[in-house]
Amino acid sequence: MSASRSTGRVVALCGGVGGAKLAYGLQHILGSDLTLVVNTGDDFDHLGLRISPDIDTVLYTLSGLANRELGWGRQDESWNFMQALAALGGETWFQLGDRDLAIHVERTRRLQTGETLSAITASIAARLGIQARVLPMSDHPVRTVVATSEGVLPFQRYFVERRCAPVVNKISFDGAAKARACSQVLSALHDPDLRAIIICPSNPYLSVDPILSVPGMRLAIENAAVPVVAVSPIIGGKAVKGPTDKIMAELGVPATSRAIAEHYGELIHGLIVDHADEEDRKTTRCTVHAAASLMKTDEDRIRLAGVALDFAGNLATDIAVAARRRGR
Ligand code: GDP
């Protein structure tokens, strides 16, 4: 293990499927020294239940319960509830497996007793044997809304019901102005033992921007004065999964890793791109490190997490040297 991985804590910003893959690798290396700040802009109320899709994907992935065939939900799933609901003429556009239902029912019950989403998430994570700290970005509601060619759509209507088909004109985060970051998120970012912040290869527009829309979040990241490293979700001009590249095209942005770096701008010190995008190194403003960034296996996830931590460790040295030079 390299020196850069041996001490200190790490905060990672994370959406669902893409983010959770890297989070799995980071947890393997860091255990309880990892804090995950998870997007809740996708959360919604459905069939009387509060659904937090990204938190659930992270919880299932980190506990080894994720359904790898489907790419979402729980493994060993059955669908009796959905079939019974369909027979009654109920709403079936959002699939809820029988086992998966338990987390939504339990979360909803506890929210109704006045518990916070962060407390509920922490206790479910502990029950599932997860070592990393999993935190929602906020305990206040922030809801992603997509202005499209078919009108303004709540996130899940765009993403699941319309399968990202409508052309995106604008993405906004309802409630963000009034939201506050979870106090544990701010403490993790202020921790003197913090050594890096990783932005997982999540969709920048739909998964990371909602986190950054929470007032004070961006400033807390900047003030942390540690290397901030993002992993690009674009490989060879395409998203591995989901609509990231389609949305970039619709917003008039080229689907490149360079554009991902530009999107994060001054917030990041370094970007990890795939070997396929090594050319982007020449034109990208921040420091770029090329690696094999497609995560098919658990080993891939752990290897890429190690690359991200080592890269951040090296940047820390560069940042310290630059600061010393400026001070001279
Ligand atoms: P969602 O909330 O479930 O859509 O998941 P995220 O926002 O966390 O992740 C979606 C992004 O993950 C997409 O843009 C994918 O391109 C990216 N992604 C998925 N798997 C991989 C992978 O193995 N490597 C990289 N670099 N990106 C990935």
Side-chain angles (χ1 to χ4, degrees):
M1 184 180 286
S2 76
S4 61
R5 293 194 214 168
S6 57
T7 54
R9 303 211 166 96
V10 170
V11 168
L13 312 189
C14 184
V17 175
K21 288 187 196 173
L22 190 70
Y24 178 97
L26 290 168
Q27 175 182 250
H28 183 89
I29 297 169
L30 297 162
S32 59
D33 282 337
L34 174 66
T35 297
L36 289 162
V37 180
V38 184
N39 171 39
T40 55
D42 301 5
D43 290 16
F44 73 127
D45 292 313
H46 183 60
L47 305 176
L49 301 172
R50 173 66 54 79
I51 320 262
S52 297
D54 285 356
I55 287 183
D56 295 344
T57 297
V58 168
L59 292 174
Y60 292 155
T61 304
L62 295 192
S63 59
L65 290 176
N67 189 321
R68 292 203 179 216
E69 288 76 50
L70 283 178
W72 50 270
R74 274 186 75 141
Q75 65 191 15
D76 300 326
E77 195 54 283
S78 57
W79 304 94
N80 296 311
F81 168 72
M82 288 312 291
Q83 284 159 12
L85 187 63
L88 298 178
E91 277 196 53
T92 54
W93 61 273
F94 194 89
Q95 297 282 303
L96 294 167
D98 298 334
R99 287 179 191 276
D100 182 39
L101 260 184
I103 203 165
H104 313 305
V105 170
E106 181 61 4
R107 174 187 297 119
T108 307
R109 180 191 72 76
R110 290 169 70 167
L111 283 170
Q112 283 168 356
T113 68
E115 263 190 90
T116 60
L117 182 61
S118 50
I120 299 165
T121 305
S123 93
I124 292 177
R127 282 274 178 170
L128 296 179
I130 292 170
Q131 287 177 289
R133 201 145 55 123
V134 183
L135 298 171
M137 64 195 201
S138 175
D139 279 321
H140 300 114
V142 176
R143 298 293 175 256
T144 300
V145 174
V146 191
T148 74
S149 49
E150 296 179 8
V152 176
L153 299 174
F155 177 77
Q156 296 297 346
R157 293 274 175 189
Y158 162 77
F159 198 76
V160 176
E161 191 177 37
R162 292 294 296 117
R163 296 168 191 265
C164 310
V167 172
V168 173
N169 302 319
K170 189 168 176 266
I171 300 164
S172 45
F173 311 110
D174 275 9
K178 284 196 196 147
R180 294 284 164 271
C182 277
S183 57
Q184 303 97 310
V185 170
L186 294 176
S187 326
L189 289 169
H190 291 145
D191 188 335
D193 285 336
L194 184 70
R195 69 177 148 112
I197 298 169
I198 310 282
I199 302 181
C200 290
S202 290
N203 185 320
Y205 303 88
L206 295 177
S207 295
V208 182
D209 283 357
I211 302 176
L212 298 175
S213 77
V214 176
M217 190 73 80
R218 225 171 231 282
L219 194 63
I221 293 171
E222 283 164 9
N223 287 346
V226 296
V228 182
V229 165
V231 179
S232 175
I234 295 291
I235 300 183
K238 287 198 162 45
V240 178
K241 192 167 183 276
T244 307
D245 50 354
K246 178 174 179 281
I247 290 174
M248 291 173 89
E250 289 165 359
L251 294 176
V253 179
T256 61
S257 289
R258 178 188 167 189
I260 299 288
E262 278 170 11
H263 183 79
Y264 290 131
E266 299 288 321
L267 193 68
I268 61 170
H269 300 102
L271 179 74
I272 295 183
V273 304
D274 192 78
H275 287 302
D277 298 320
E278 261 192 283
E279 277 296 300
D280 285 15
R281 186 200 298 264
K282 294 179 192 146
T283 50
T284 303
R285 179 199 54 83
C286 67
T287 309
V288 172
H289 180 82
S293 78
L294 185 62
M295 295 173 280
K296 285 191 173 162
T297 63
D298 288 349
E299 289 68 36
D300 293 339
R301 298 167 173 191
I302 296 164
R303 186 190 33 73
L304 188 59
V307 168
L309 295 175
D310 286 345
F311 181 40
N314 295 335
L315 285 172
T317 315
D318 295 349
I319 291 166
V321 169
R324 269 204 302 280
R325 284 210 186 110
R326 273 201 306 275
R328 259 187 218 152

